[in-house]
Each structure stands twice: as C-alpha cells, then as structure tokens.
Amino acid sequence: MNRRNFLRTAAAAPVGSVVAAAPSGASIETKILRLNLQHTWTTTMSSSQYRDTLHVAYARDGITGHGEGAPIVRYHEDAEGARKAVESVRALLLPPTPCSLPR
C-alpha cells in the first residue's frame, strides 16, 4: 500500500463508523475525592492539608475515559462547583448518537 492509498483509506474510515453509529449506552460518573497531602501546602494566601478533587469517568461504546481536576480556592473554585459544571453539560455529552452533537 502506498501513502496515497493509506490516506484515502484512513480518511474514509471515520465517515463509515459515524454513519453506522447506533445509539449507545453512554454514561458520566463524577466523584469527589479528598486527597490528604503528605506535607502541608503553604502559599502566601493560605495553607492546606488536603485537596478536594473531582474525578470524572465518561463511557461510550465500551471505552471509558478518566479525568480529574483540582479546583483552586484562590479563584473561588471548589470540587462541588466543578461537579455542577459537569452536570450542566450532561445533555450535550450524552446524545443518543455522536451525530446528534450540536454544531
């Protein structure tokens, strides 16, 4: 196979899978975990013994992606606010098919 045929095949592959995509059982799970720090974290603004972090698992078509975030208190962020942000876009992330995502 030469480069031109490879690129032609690779370019056509996603189109075929998107057209054939069936409704899937997509899901989003969020969990707030408190991470106890080994050493106290100190800045000029404050000190902390722990960080509350948000962990997210997004699953679709048998594939699961994991992500996490550590909100920054200085910017008035917290793990519960991050969870609410994820929940506010749940409808955009869980359409019946990937083709129905807003453009």
Side-chain angles (χ1 to χ4, degrees):
M1 173 182 284
N2 63 25
R3 182 173 178 234
R4 179 176 292 152
N5 288 340
F6 173 76
L7 292 175
R8 190 176 298 143
T9 303
V15 173
S17 64
V18 168
V19 171
S24 63
S27 68
I28 296 176
E29 294 180 23
T30 60
K31 184 180 350 177
I32 295 175
L33 293 176
R34 177 164 284 182
L35 302 179
N36 293 313
L37 304 176
Q38 185 173 1
H39 303 286
T40 302
W41 177 261
T42 302
T43 66
T44 58
M45 304 275 298
S46 64
S47 294
S48 60
Q49 300 277 339
Y50 61 87
R51 289 294 294 258
D52 287 333
T53 60
L54 178 68
H55 294 248
V56 179
Y58 176 77
R60 177 184 287 272
D61 300 326
I63 300 172
T64 302
H66 297 275
E68 64 181 90
I72 301 171
V73 176
R74 178 180 180 178
Y75 299 118
H76 309 289
E77 300 172 342
D78 61 13
E80 189 56 42
R83 176 185 281 183
K84 288 177 184 175
V86 170
E87 293 299 325
S88 74
V89 296
R90 179 179 286 274
L92 296 173
L93 299 173
L94 298 177
T97 66
C99 296
S100 62
L101 288 171
R103 296 176 189 242

